[in-house]
Amino acid sequence: MSIELANESGVEAPAELIIGAARFAVGAMDVNPAAELSLLLVDEDTMADMHVQWMDLPGPTDVMSFPMDELVPGGRPDAAEPGPAILGDIVICPAFAKRQAKEARRSFDHELAMLTIHGVLHLLGYDHAEPEEEKEMFGLQNSILEEFYAERHRIAQVQRQSDRDTKLLTNIGFSDIASVDAAPDASDPGHTPPKDT
């Protein structure tokens, strides 16, 4: 999966988290791993211009998605394997997201991960114009977000354990381990001291 992120917003944002959320959402939706996705972070003026131009709505918004290739599931078994699809572009406004997160009492990072997943679902054809669509899309979004956090937590636990193991082995030192293994324990009841001859 090729994901590019450009931050033109003037706001510092966690690129690794945003790319990770996008990659996880695309994987969770079983999109071809050769697909391409572009993420763009913009300021509020740019987002407001795009919002008017593409949605005919005033003011900035949090996220907009611009699908590129139409993804068609399935197909004939004898059809040629499709090439990599360009999913499209997701545009996020971090300044708007930061304000929105504060109002909703969520962290900025959480807001960005949620908006990224929301954007991916829009690229894949999900919408929330109607109540049933909204229920389906937000249910799926929340499920993917929860799984994303669970996976990040699992990876962090594995990394912490690996760091502890490395620190322990470094503190003990491999030469110390070898000498402990080689030296007999005099307090061991099965230990027989050497005899003078």
Side-chain angles (χ1 to χ4, degrees):
M1 171 101 234
S2 170
I3 300 176
E4 291 183 11
L5 184 143
N7 188 350
E8 300 173 3
S9 69
V11 174
E12 195 170 319
E16 182 189 342
L17 174 84
I18 296 168
I19 291 171
R23 189 177 307 283
F24 189 88
V26 167
M29 296 304 294
D30 203 25
V31 173
N32 185 323
E36 298 174 12
L37 171 64
S38 172
L39 295 156
L40 177 63
L41 309 183
V42 298
D43 60 36
E44 289 188 279
D45 290 340
T46 303
M47 185 60 107
D49 290 345
M50 294 174 81
H51 204 205
V52 169
Q53 181 182 355
W54 296 101
M55 305 293 292
D56 202 22
L57 294 170
T61 188
D62 50 10
V63 60
M64 293 180 69
S65 296
F66 300 92
M68 294 293 219
D69 290 350
E70 188 174 337
L71 300 178
V72 181
R76 292 175 48 99
D78 59 348
E81 189 67 29
I86 300 174
L87 293 181
D89 303 321
I90 296 172
V91 181
I92 297 172
C93 181
F96 190 95
K98 187 174 273 194
R99 205 167 47 252
Q100 188 168 264
K102 188 174 182 181
E103 289 168 7
R105 295 183 177 170
R106 295 188 289 248
S107 75
F108 180 48
D109 284 8
H110 175 80
E111 195 75 17
L112 291 174
M114 183 177 67
L115 293 175
T116 302
I117 291 168
H118 188 87
V120 167
L121 292 176
H122 271 310
L123 289 181
L124 297 176
Y126 288 86
D127 206 351
H128 45 84
E130 300 297 327
E132 280 304 309
E133 292 176 334
E134 181 177 1
K135 184 178 177 183
E136 180 185 18
M137 183 175 180
F138 281 89
L140 189 53
Q141 172 185 300
N142 293 338
S143 173
I144 292 171
L145 190 59
E146 191 176 309
E147 290 169 17
F148 171 63
Y149 284 135
E151 178 68 7
R152 282 175 62 87
H153 180 70
R154 186 193 65 75
I155 290 169
Q157 279 184 315
V158 168
Q159 185 60 52
R160 281 193 300 271
Q161 184 61 53
S162 175
D163 291 347
R164 281 194 296 266
D165 291 349
T166 301
K167 186 177 179 183
L168 179 64
L169 290 173
T170 302
N171 287 344
I172 291 174
F174 289 106
S175 60
D176 294 342
I177 293 171
S179 64
V180 167
D181 287 344
D185 184 359
S187 65
D188 181 0
H191 170 70
T192 307
K195 294 182 181 174
D196 290 333
T197 53

